[in-house]
Structures are given as structure tokens and as C-alpha cells.
Amino acid sequence: MLEGLEAVDWRGLETVGPDHPAANVPKVLRRIARAGATSGREAVDRAYGDLQDLLLAPGRVTGAGTAALPFLVDLALDPDTAARPDLVGVLAGLAHNGETGEPGAVDSGWKAAWRRQWPRLRMLFDDRDPVLRRAALQLIAGRTAPLLERWREESDLSVRVPLLLALGQAAAAEDPTGSADAEVRAVLEGVLHGENPVLRVAAVIAAAPLDPQAALRSHPMLLELLTDPALAPEFGKVWYTLDCEDPYERNDVAAWAVHLLERHTAVATSFVAGLAEAGIRIGDAELRRCALDQAWRLLVARPSAAAAVLPLAAGLLADPDDDVRYKAAHLLAVLGHRAAPYADRLAALLDDPGESTFFDGTVGDHARWALTRIGDPRALPDLVERLVAPYRDMQGRGYGLGDPRQPDVADVLRPLRAHAAVLLPAVREALRDEVDRAGWLVRDLREVLHAWGENPLLPGELTPYPQPWEPPPMELAQAEATVLAYTADGQLHGAFAAALSALTRHGRLAPPVREALAAHRTTDRRLSEYGDYRAILQDEDIRRRVDTLLTLP
């Protein structure tokens, strides 16, 4: 193996980076060849990382890549090579760069070298290891003809699922009037009505790029199969994609299905409610969590989802699973006044210590926030202390921008000006403590006091309070142009808010601006750039301001 490696003049070849000389290529190839079953995974990963640093860069294939190709194929075909799927990934990366790179960025000998090696590369599809065969699909991703050929030959389900998904994507990207497209549609239709339930689900999802209505037509079947307790473990065994080395679990596939249904909000929310009902019926807490996760995704994107999400979340407030109660309380909190009929249930959870696996805060914290959003005074006792206490020993806070999470202190307190008389002593005491400790919340608490019309400084403080930044006032013509541009393309959130303020200040609306705002007010998407609870808060604020504007002459 690796015969002829020394015959290559590596020093005269170029790699993708000046800090990685081509003379290192044979050294890395030997490290990979020497690695065996006893080699540590860390050492193997490091060798492959070094190989990628030498050979892979977007849109580029260098002379070193062309010279290394036959040796890479040697290693990939040798069953004793460690982590062969990783090596196939390097080959797929080179092939992709060779196809997509500009002529000057791809070595002149690359295409001919690839054609020479292709008969050997095809042998990877007949390898005994399904993991390697699955990785080799990357070499033909995007091309329906070879994918169809593999579909006819492949029998392992863990390879057939990603094959089917890749077929749908490839056919959609190619000429939809071609014979290959018709054959792919026929394959998908046959699998959809076949006997294997996992493949039937895969057929619906694979068809989506070709037929956006496929999931809508098949959602009853999807719900039936995705809530079958006997089938649930099977997804995690075989549901792979070409861009992820780990399998999708049943809940991941359910989330994929909801995403395909999202444009049909009523169907998507009904589907999510069906997941929750099945989770209750069969005692599957993971399925109930999945249902709430998808309800959250829908709610943060589509205002019309609120009507269906409200009873779903309320019905899970007493769930035995901490994570389920946490997410249910969070959903009711972001729903605000809509959750008022469930205020007593929320009040019963104020001392609930249940926590989510991944998110900060407790069930009680979210129940308390929900009551503040409703305007229920039962949230007020100890509210400030419960909000600020977690920050006293906090070294840092991380969260996903699209996930449920504890709201920022200012976002909870700022709207409570009507209760300032009750909360003010606690806020000032918390501010004094934060200033003494140089804590995290000094700015938040000063902002709350400013929003309430109170002095944001403590007694004895002399440094003036820096007013929150606001964009400069817009002229009427600029404000009108900004609104028309925003309503046309949905961008410019910050400028849009400033434009609304300017229009309010000027006190009148031109007919085209009024028509644009009235039409935009009815859109079923969040008027926000955020992906967490702030999407709902900002959306509510902008819609209120638009409603006020529409009353102007």
C-alpha cells in the first residue's frame, strides 16, 4: 500500500495553505496507514484533520490534491485502514471542490485523475461495511442516475434511507422534465405504498423537494407511524443523512415532518397536538417533549399557531415529567394574556422546582413569568429576588438564540410599571446590591427604573445615567420609504421600528403606506428578527404600534 509515494516530488506541489507544505502530505498518509484498531481515536482524528488542512479548501483542488488522489483511494479500499468513512469524506470534499471550483482554482490535472480513479472508487459501493457504503454515497450525491443504480443494488436499510433522501434532493435539483426525475418519482411512490414503515416515512420526506404538498397529503400516515411505540427505536438505527454521521432519532424525524408542514399552520399544529396526545396515551415523555418543542417552533414563527398551542400547553402543566412542565409553562408565558384562563393552574406551580435538561430556570420561574404577563398579582411576592438571585453566583450564561429560556430580568420587569409601587423597594435594593458587587444586572435594573419613570441612580450617585440609545429621528419621506421597503421584503427591523415612531410623530399616513401597513398587519409571521421569546414580545409591540398608526388620518 502507498507504493510510489516517494516517487512524487511533493516539494514542488502546492497545498491549500501556505502554512501547510506539501512535503507533509506523505507523512500524514503514512500516519493514517499505520493507524490500526489499537490507535486512539484522538490520534486518528488528528491525522485526518491534518489531511484536510493540507488538501481541502472551498472551491480549490491543488496539485497536492491531484497527486494524493491515488494514495487516498488505496487507503479507502484497504479494510485495515482506520476510520475509512472519514477518508471517503476527504475524497468527497475534493470531488465537490473539483466540480464547483473556478478553472483557475482547480489543478489542471484533477479531472483526468478523478476519471482514472473512478473505476476503483466504484468498488467502495460493494464494500462489506454498510457504514463505508453509506459514506461513499457522498461521491455521487446530486446525481440521480448513479443514485438510482445504487438504490436497485442496495439492501441495507441504514444505507437505503439516506439513498432515498438523496434521490429526492438530486431529482429536484436536476431537470424535472427528464426521465430520471420520472423514475425517482416512481421509486418514491412505490416505497410510499410499500411494507417498510421507516422507508414509507422517508419517502414522504424525500418527495418534499419534488412535491411540496407530499407531507400535507400524507400527514395522517406520518402521525400514525411516528407515534407507533414499537417503531420508535427503529429510526435511531437506520435514519442517516449524507451530511450527518449520527442517526436521527424518532423525535428528530417528527421535527422534520413538522417543518415540512409549517406553511400549513392549522395542519402543523394539529399534527403536533397529535404527537402530544399519543405521548400521553402511550406514556412516552420524549414524545410529549417533542410535541412541545415543535409547538414552540411554530409559535415563534407563526402567530396563528397560538390558538392551538394554548390548550396543548395548558393540558401538560401537570405532567409528571419536569421537562414537559417547564416547556408548557414557558409556552403559556410567551402567550401572555391568552393564558389568563389557566392562571390558577400556573399559580399552583409557583414553587415547582422542576428543571429542564438543557435550559435554565425552573417550572416555577416560568409560571411566575406567565402570571406577570397575564397581569396576575400572585406573581409579585418575591418576584424581584427570584429574578436576580440566580445571577449572584453566575459565572456566565449561555443559551441558544432559538430555544426556550429564562427571560432577561428587564424583559420581565419593564412591563410592570402599574405595579411599581409594590416592586420599587425590591428593585432599588437589588440595584444597590448589584452596584456594590459590580454585578451583572446593574444596567438591566437601571433600565427598568428608567422605563418606570423613576430615577435610575441610587442616593449619592453623581455620574449621570446614560440614556438608552435611540436611532436619530427620521424625516417623513424617509420613514414612508422605509415602511414600504420593509413591507415589501420583510427586512430592516430596527429601521422599521424607527420609521413607525417617525410616522406616529408626524401624525398622518399617506394612502400607499396605510395600505402597506394594513396588509402587513395580517401576515402570519412574526414581525421580529429574534428566534426566542423576544420574537413574540417584539411582534406584539410592532403590531400594537401599527394598530395605533392605522387610526391616524
Side-chain angles (χ1 to χ4, degrees):
M1 190 168 58
L2 301 183
E3 292 181 7
L5 196 62
E6 298 296 340
V8 177
D9 181 12
W10 296 99
R11 290 174 299 178
L13 298 175
E14 179 190 11
T15 65
V16 297
D19 297 332
H20 303 285
N24 288 343
V25 173
K27 298 176 185 178
V28 174
L29 292 175
R30 288 195 189 92
R31 282 164 54 196
I32 293 173
R34 287 195 300 265
T38 59
S39 301
R41 181 67 206 191
E42 183 178 347
V44 174
D45 287 345
R46 190 161 52 247
Y48 279 111
D50 292 343
L51 186 63
Q52 292 172 11
D53 289 341
L54 287 161
L55 301 181
L56 295 183
R60 291 188 65 198
V61 178
T62 65
T66 300
L69 178 60
F71 306 110
L72 295 174
V73 178
D74 286 344
L75 289 169
L77 291 173
D78 186 345
D80 293 329
T81 300
R84 286 195 294 160
D86 292 353
L87 193 59
V88 173
V90 174
L91 286 164
L94 286 169
H96 176 75
N97 293 339
E99 291 177 2
T100 60
E102 297 294 330
V106 177
D107 180 66
S108 59
W110 167 256
K111 292 186 183 297
W114 183 262
R115 286 194 297 269
R116 285 194 300 271
Q117 295 300 323
W118 181 244
R120 300 176 66 215
L121 286 164
R122 286 177 58 92
M123 297 168 63
L124 295 171
F125 297 117
D126 298 320
D127 196 274
R128 296 177 58 185
D129 184 1
V131 177
L132 189 73
R133 297 201 304 277
R134 188 167 62 240
L137 295 178
Q138 299 172 77
L139 302 176
I140 54 174
R143 292 186 287 154
T144 55
L147 287 170
L148 283 167
E149 179 183 343
R150 292 313 310 153
W151 175 258
R152 289 188 286 268
E153 299 294 329
E154 183 59 61
S155 61
D156 189 284
L157 199 56
S158 71
V159 186
R160 300 199 96 201
V161 168
L163 244 176
L164 202 62
L165 298 173
L167 269 171
Q169 293 175 338
E174 292 181 356
D175 181 5
T177 62
S179 59
D181 174 80
E183 189 170 355
V184 170
R185 289 177 184 269
V187 167
L188 294 173
E189 186 68 17
V191 174
L192 179 63
H193 297 95
E195 296 182 358
N196 188 287
V198 173
L199 281 179
R200 292 176 67 196
V201 175
V204 176
I205 292 178
L210 287 166
D211 178 8
Q213 304 299 314
L216 184 64
R217 290 194 304 272
S218 300
H219 76 272
M221 180 202 77
L222 290 174
L223 183 61
E224 177 187 354
L225 296 179
L226 289 168
T227 57
D228 183 343
L231 189 59
E234 300 306 310
F235 289 95
K237 298 176 183 176
V238 300
W239 193 288
Y240 290 88
T241 63
L242 298 192
D243 55 2
C244 183
E245 64 181 76
D246 295 319
Y248 281 44
E249 300 294 337
R250 181 271 316 270
N251 287 2
D252 302 320
V253 180
W256 199 339
V258 174
H259 173 71
L260 295 178
L261 294 169
E262 184 181 316
R263 288 183 300 170
H264 312 280
T265 309
V267 175
T269 52
S270 173
F271 187 88
V272 168
L275 295 177
E277 291 165 5
I280 294 170
R281 184 178 67 252
I282 64 179
D284 188 335
E286 285 192 3
L287 191 56
R288 301 196 298 277
R289 291 182 212 133
C290 174
L292 289 174
D293 287 340
Q294 299 318 306
W296 164 252
R297 305 285 180 225
L298 291 171
L299 183 63
V300 84
R302 307 280 181 178
S304 65
V309 170
L310 179 64
L312 187 160
L316 293 170
L317 282 175
D319 196 271
D321 184 78
D322 288 355
D323 215 341
V324 171
R325 294 196 311 282
Y326 177 102
K327 292 171 179 177
H330 183 80
L331 281 168
L332 290 180
V334 297
L335 284 165
H337 286 285
R338 287 175 174 266
Y342 306 102
D344 288 344
R345 297 192 202 179
L346 289 162
L349 297 175
L350 286 174
D351 297 318
D352 189 327
E355 296 179 324
S356 174
T357 305
F358 298 108
F359 308 125
D360 58 355
T362 66
V363 176
D365 293 333
H366 287 281
R368 183 169 282 99
W369 180 38
L371 290 176
T372 70
R373 294 263 291 150
I374 292 168
D376 192 308
R378 285 176 286 187
L380 301 180
D382 298 325
L383 173 63
V384 176
E385 171 61 19
R386 288 179 178 269
L387 287 172
V388 303
Y391 289 87
R392 292 197 181 108
D393 299 319
M394 188 180 291
Q395 300 300 312
R397 186 185 184 201
Y399 50 81
L401 294 177
D403 291 327
R405 65 175 177 93
Q406 275 275 77
D408 295 337
V409 170
D411 288 335
V412 177
L413 294 176
R414 193 188 302 109
L416 300 181
R417 184 171 184 172
H419 301 284
V422 175
L423 298 172
L424 196 55
V427 172
R428 290 202 181 282
E429 181 60 32
L431 176 58
R432 185 176 295 107
D433 179 61
E434 287 292 298
V435 168
D436 290 344
R437 298 185 309 103
W440 288 57
L441 298 177
V442 173
R443 179 179 295 182
D444 281 52
L445 294 170
R446 291 196 197 280
E447 181 185 327
V448 169
L449 291 171
H450 176 75
W452 288 356
E454 300 288 340
N455 185 358
L457 299 179
L458 293 171
E461 288 187 318
L462 301 177
T463 304
Y465 171 67
Q467 298 290 328
W469 181 86
E470 293 185 3
M474 284 187 184
E475 295 298 325
L476 179 60
Q478 182 186 1
E480 290 177 340
T482 299
V483 166
L484 292 174
Y486 173 83
T487 53
D489 62 20
Q491 302 302 313
L492 302 172
H493 289 283
F496 182 65
L500 296 181
S501 297
L503 292 174
T504 303
R505 186 172 59 254
H506 287 288
R508 65 185 179 85
L509 285 181
V513 177
R514 178 183 298 278
E515 292 171 9
L517 285 174
H520 201 59
R521 176 66 177 81
T522 62
T523 187
D524 188 25
R525 67 177 183 82
R526 293 293 177 190
L527 307 182
S528 174
E529 73 269 32
Y530 293 115
D532 56 15
Y533 74 89
R534 293 170 295 178
I536 288 89
L537 301 190
Q538 187 178 45
D539 180 72
E540 291 173 346
D541 177 63
I542 288 179
R543 289 178 189 274
R544 279 194 298 266
R545 296 167 71 176
V546 170
D547 288 344
T548 300
L549 276 171
L550 292 176
T551 66
L552 294 176

